Amino acid sequence: MMISQQYQDNIDIVLQKTEEAEAIVVGGASGMSAAAGYNWYRDDEMFRKYFDAFAKQYGIDSIFGGFYHKFCTEEERWAYLATLINFVAEVPVGEPYKDLEKILQAKEYFILTTNQDTQFLQVFPEEKVSAIQGDWTSIQCSGPCHDQVYPFVEQAKEMCDHMEGTKVPSSMVPKCSECGGPMELWVRSFVFLEGFKYRDEHKKYREFLLENQNKKVLFLELGVGRMTPMFIQEPFWNMTYSWPDAFYITINPNDALLPEQLKDKGLAIHEDIALVLRDVQAELEKDRKQGAV
Ligand SMILES: [Zn+2]
């Protein structure tokens, strides 16, 4: 493939800004997982491999489609959710995440994500990641009657082992230990538990921002779509605009936007995230080997 001058220029700017930055704030959304090969909105090979029984039985056509499907019984709903949790815990971490880890390894950094698939958490230490929309491996009371989030990967595996068709045995449907009511996945919904775990996710992030706001900061936005700009994109724009030494880079094959006010403090790269991270990582490694960094 011919590499355009424009592409190479973009890679060079990402490299330079990464090397210069005293702190890097990464915002990762669904485009990052899509770049890793995981698409929650599509009926693809990966979906069929794990969810075929549900596709056939209920006409579900994507992972999110199943998540919002109204199952008639709790036994069927939990069979789907257990399959989902098991899927999330089992599938390998995508290459873009590994490349990002290598890019960030020698830097001060923090990651904010709206992704619920725990891919960031599988690569980066928990204290450096804020999953602000919950994650698909934890459950909560649907009340919610009490402030506690429970890890659910082991039970989900067990449920998958005991599944009959698209049902789990009634005895395995999780119930709240306090009120006896139904449980829910700990992800954004009408009953999303914004308790101490949620507040802690925000606190870690706020502390990092406070510590670094006067330094040379790079905001690196990866795959934020147009649906929910309020969690990552708009705060990144505002901080880049108002902080003295901040720079903003967005990498997105479809929706890379740079506001007019940031034209001297930012860059929008309309490219495949996986490709850009791979190439930046490769060049960074070359530089580091040569002792240039
Ligand atoms: Zn309860």
Side-chain angles (χ1 to χ4, degrees):
M1 190 188 85
M2 274 286 287
I3 292 181
S4 73
Q5 189 58 44
Q6 164 93 63
Y7 182 79
Q8 191 54 48
D9 289 350
N10 284 339
I11 297 290
D12 289 345
I13 295 174
V14 178
L15 264 173
Q16 182 208 339
K17 293 295 172 185
T18 302
E19 288 172 3
E20 283 175 8
E22 294 168 293
I24 300 177
V25 186
V26 176
S30 62
M32 182 68 178
S33 285
Y38 300 118
N39 194 313
W40 315 112
Y41 302 94
R42 210 163 25 192
D43 186 354
D44 56 13
E45 206 179 313
M46 175 97 65
F47 174 71
R48 288 290 169 159
K49 184 175 164 197
Y50 286 84
F51 299 92
D52 195 47
F54 295 92
K56 289 199 172 116
Q57 180 95 15
Y58 308 99
I60 290 167
D61 60 1
S62 70
I63 292 178
F64 260 119
F67 183 69
Y68 292 111
H69 184 81
K70 300 268 177 253
F71 290 98
C72 293
T73 66
E74 284 292 288
E75 288 79 2
E76 290 162 285
R77 191 169 79 94
W78 279 97
Y80 184 81
L81 295 179
T83 305
L84 171 62
I85 295 168
N86 201 37
F87 165 79
V88 163
E90 241 182 34
V91 292
V93 169
E95 287 304 320
Y97 291 90
K98 295 183 195 163
D99 287 334
L100 183 65
E101 190 207 14
K102 289 183 196 141
I103 292 168
L104 295 177
Q105 66 187 356
K107 310 295 298 188
E108 276 290 315
Y109 70 90
F110 196 88
I111 294 163
L112 179 69
T113 184
T114 48
N115 290 353
Q116 298 158 342
D117 59 17
T118 68
Q119 292 258 312
F120 279 113
L121 286 164
Q122 291 178 47
V123 176
F124 297 96
E126 210 184 329
E127 69 269 16
K128 290 188 170 292
V129 180
S130 284
I132 52 169
Q133 301 282 64
D135 77 67
W136 279 340
T137 62
S138 305
I139 62 170
Q140 60 161 90
C141 171
S142 66
C145 79
H146 68 294
D147 187 0
Q148 180 76 49
V149 167
Y150 301 89
F152 201 65
V153 171
E154 290 310 313
Q155 281 107 307
K157 265 195 182 60
E158 182 90 16
M159 286 161 88
C160 288
D161 290 343
H162 290 84
M163 212 177 287
E164 290 155 19
T166 54
K167 280 181 185 167
V168 293
S170 304
S171 61
M172 293 189 96
V173 171
K175 292 267 179 281
C176 174
S177 59
E178 303 292 311
C179 72
M183 300 293 275
E184 281 294 338
L185 296 196
W186 184 59
V187 292
R188 173 68 59 191
S189 76
F190 291 117
V191 299
F192 184 46
L193 175 61
E194 296 185 356
F196 73 79
K197 167 95 171 125
Y198 177 81
R199 287 193 298 274
D200 191 50
E201 295 298 304
H202 281 268
K203 188 164 158 264
K204 295 186 279 196
Y205 174 56
R206 253 195 332 268
E207 283 173 357
F208 185 85
L209 295 178
L210 273 174
E211 272 167 32
N212 292 289
Q213 59 182 336
N214 291 313
K215 296 186 190 158
K216 221 175 179 49
V217 177
L218 171 63
F219 287 97
L220 181 60
E221 183 192 294
L222 303 170
V224 174
R226 296 303 300 142
M227 300 279 277
T228 52
M230 64 292 236
F231 297 112
I232 292 171
Q233 189 167 69
E234 288 169 359
F236 275 22
W237 287 350
N238 288 332
M239 287 184 281
T240 305
Y241 184 73
S242 56
W243 290 9
D245 213 357
F247 195 85
Y248 168 80
I249 294 176
T250 174
I251 309 173
N252 197 318
N254 313 310
D255 298 312
L257 283 180
L258 186 68
E260 180 61 23
Q261 292 89 333
L262 293 181
K263 67 176 179 7
D264 299 324
K265 291 184 92 176
L267 176 69
I269 303 179
H270 299 259
E271 299 284 352
D272 181 344
I273 297 170
L275 213 62
V276 174
L277 293 180
R278 188 198 67 191
D279 290 346
V280 168
Q281 196 285 120
E283 298 224 8
L284 207 54
E285 196 167 282
K286 235 185 335 183
D287 287 355
R288 280 173 183 158
K289 272 199 186 120
Q290 289 168 355
V293 182

